Amino acid sequence: MTLTCVDCRASYPATLLYACEACGGLLEVTRPGTEPPGLDALVSPAVTLGECGTPLLPVRPGSLPTPARALWFKDETRNPSGSFKDRLVSAALTTALTFGSKGLVCASSGNAGASAAAYAARAGIPAVILVPERTPTEKMAQIAAYGALLVKVAGHYSNSYAMALAVARETGFVNVTTTFLNPYGTDALRLVGHEIYDQLGGQVPDWVFVPTGSGPLVKGVFQGFADRGGRMPRLVAVQAEGCAPIVKAFEERAGEVQAWGEPKTIASGISDPLIGYARDGTYTLRLVRESGGCAIAVSDDEIRRAMRVLAAGNGIFAEPTGASSLAAAQKMLARGDIGPDERIVCMVTGHGFKDFGIYRQMPVHEIRVEADASASVIIQALEGMGPPERVV
Ligand SMILES: *Cc1c(COP(=O)(O)O)cnc(C)c1O
Ligand SMILES: [Zn+2]
C-alpha cells in the first residue's frame, strides 16, 4: 500500500501524511496489482461498530411527485452513528492506531465529529471534535454524549478545519477530518460503489446522486464502480443553493472551484465553503465530469419536500442533507434531464434524528384530545388525512 498524489503522481510510503509534499495535492491509497480491496484488505484489526452493508431500498411506487420507475435509496442512515461518515472514520482510525496514534482530532459540520467521537470511545482514546458554533444541537449533543471534548468554533466550517490542523500538529493525534485530508478514510468509501453494484446484481445504474461537501463520497462511488470494471454511472454532485461552490464552477465551465462566501442552508452536512482547500472541490468536479455527470444545486424548500417524500412516503427518516439527493433527482426528472425509465440511486447520507428540529417546523397530522374524548374525534381526523399517496 502506498500513497499517491492525484495531481503530480508523486508516491510515498503509507504513513500519516495528509497532502503531497511536492505540490500540496491530495493523496489517494494505491495498491500493487489490480485486485479491488475489501475493507479487510485495508485495515486489520478494525475498530468497528458494525458500519457498512447498508440496504438499497427501492422507492415505493406512487410516492414520487415526478415518477421514476427504477429508483433506489442507499440508506446510509443505518450506520452506527447515523451517517456514512462511520465508513471513513473506522478505516482512518484503525490505520492510525497501527501507526501509533494516541488520540484523534476531527473538524466537522456535525456528522464526522459524531462518528469520530463514537469510534474514539470504542477504541478507548481521547477525541477533540471541532464544530461550527451553529451546528444543529442534536449533532452536538451526540458528540458530547460519546465523551469527546466538543469545541464550538466561531463562524463557518472552514474555521474549524484550520483549527483542527493546528491541534493535530500540536498533539500528534491523528486528524480524521473527513475531507480529502485522510486518504485511508476516503479509500474505505470504495465499498459504497461495490455494495451498490452487488445489490443491483451487476446492473450499473445510469445515475448516482451524491450530497456533496468536499467530495470524498463522490470519489468513493467513482472508485467503487471503477474497481468493478464495468460502465460508469453518471455521478451527480448535489449541493444546496446557499453553499454551492462546485455547482458554480460546473455551470461556469470553470477549470477550478473557488471557495464560497457565507453558507446559508438547512443542509448542514454539505454546508462547506471549502475556504483554504478549494482544491478538494476542483478534484471532485474533475471526477464528476469524467463520469459524464453534473453538479446541481437544490433549494431548502426542495429539500424539505424531499424529506417528506422520504419520511411520509417511504419510511426513511433523513436529515436535510440526506434528502438533498432525492430533491436533485426529482428536479432533473421534472425538467426531463432524466427519463422515467432510467436507473437512479440516491445516497441518503444522514439520519433524521440528527436534525429533527427541522421536522418540527414542517406540517404534520397531529391532534390533542382530552383523556375522556371519544374515539370518533380521532377517526374524524384520520378520515381528513386521505389515502397514504396524498399524505406527502
Ligand atoms: C459529510 C456529509 C456529506 C458530504 O460528504 P463529502 O464526502 O464531504 O462530500 C453528505 N451528507 C452527509 C449527511 C454528511 O454528513
Ligand atoms: Zn503532488
Side-chain angles (χ1 to χ4, degrees):
M1 187 164 75
T2 48
L3 300 177
T4 306
C5 173
V6 302
D7 288 328
C8 75
R9 304 310 294 177
S11 90
Y12 304 90
T15 57
L16 278 184
L17 189 64
Y18 300 109
C20 175
E21 286 171 348
C23 79
L26 56 99
L27 298 171
E28 64 181 358
V29 173
T30 47
R31 295 178 184 74
T34 54
E35 195 59 20
L39 192 61
D40 49 343
L42 304 173
V43 287
S44 155
V47 183
T48 182
L49 286 162
E51 60 290 331
C52 306
T54 58
L56 186 72
L57 304 167
V59 68
R60 183 173 66 79
S63 67
L64 296 178
T66 307
R69 272 183 280 279
L71 187 147
W72 290 266
F73 302 114
K74 181 65 171 160
D75 187 4
E76 291 294 306
T77 70
R78 308 287 191 93
N79 282 297
S81 79
S83 84
F84 81 94
K85 296 298 200 300
D86 293 334
R87 295 173 178 268
L88 298 105
V89 170
S90 60
L93 180 55
T94 298
T95 313
L97 293 179
T98 68
F99 296 142
S101 295
K102 298 283 183 277
L104 67 76
V105 181
C106 184
S108 169
S109 62
N111 289 337
S115 181
Y119 285 82
R122 189 75 193 160
I125 59 166
V128 182
I129 312 295
L130 304 103
V131 300
E133 60 186 342
R134 280 197 298 271
T135 299
T137 54
E138 295 89 336
K139 294 184 183 183
M140 293 202 282
Q142 191 185 6
I143 292 165
Y146 289 127
L149 173 61
L150 172 65
V151 184
K152 304 178 191 177
V153 183
H156 51 63
Y157 174 77
S158 297
N159 297 344
S160 306
Y161 180 93
M163 201 162 292
L165 295 179
V167 175
R169 213 166 33 236
E170 296 289 316
T171 56
F173 289 1
V174 60
N175 191 338
V176 298
T177 300
T178 61
T179 56
F180 285 108
L181 257 193
N182 194 303
Y184 306 103
T186 304
D187 189 55
L189 292 178
R190 292 166 182 264
L191 283 187
V192 176
H194 299 174
E195 287 175 19
I196 295 172
Y197 181 95
D198 295 344
Q199 285 167 321
L200 289 176
Q203 297 235 8
V204 175
D206 298 301
W207 301 87
V208 180
F209 284 78
V210 187
T212 302
S214 59
L217 186 55
V218 168
K219 180 177 171 66
V221 174
F222 185 100
Q223 283 200 308
F225 280 98
D227 288 341
R228 289 296 191 251
R231 194 167 57 84
M232 180 62 70
R234 292 169 193 266
L235 303 184
V236 183
V238 180
Q239 300 202 290
E241 280 178 1
C243 185
I246 296 173
V247 175
K248 183 164 185 285
F250 178 80
E251 288 176 347
E252 292 171 353
R253 297 170 197 275
E256 287 185 6
V257 171
Q258 307 291 331
W260 192 260
E262 197 59 37
K264 196 174 181 328
T265 172
I266 59 168
S268 60
I270 47 175
S271 184
D272 183 345
L274 304 177
I275 298 167
Y277 50 96
R279 199 166 175 167
D280 281 17
T282 299
Y283 178 64
T284 299
L285 182 58
R286 189 170 112 197
L287 296 179
V288 163
R289 283 181 173 141
E290 233 172 272
S291 77
C294 64
I296 183 169
V298 289
S299 70
D300 284 358
D301 276 346
E302 288 167 330
I303 290 173
R304 284 193 189 89
R305 275 200 292 280
M307 288 164 77
R308 281 176 64 73
V309 171
L310 275 172
N314 286 275
I316 300 171
F317 191 45
E319 65 172 287
T321 303
S324 65
S325 50
L326 176 61
Q330 282 287 281
K331 195 166 181 161
M332 288 182 67
L333 281 157
R335 292 202 302 222
D337 296 341
I338 299 180
D341 290 318
E342 293 194 72
R343 299 160 64 82
I344 302 165
V345 172
C346 293
M347 298 295 308
V348 181
T349 46
H351 205 289
F353 286 144
K354 287 171 164 290
D355 200 0
F356 56 75
I358 302 280
Y359 279 95
R360 286 213 205 89
Q361 304 153 12
M362 306 211 302
V364 291
H365 306 283
E366 183 180 308
I367 57 173
R368 186 190 174 279
V369 297
E370 294 302 334
D372 60 356
S374 114
S376 66
V377 180
I378 296 169
I379 289 158
Q380 238 173 34
L382 187 62
E383 284 168 357
M385 284 173 59
E389 282 73 25
R390 301 230 316 275
V391 168
V392 175

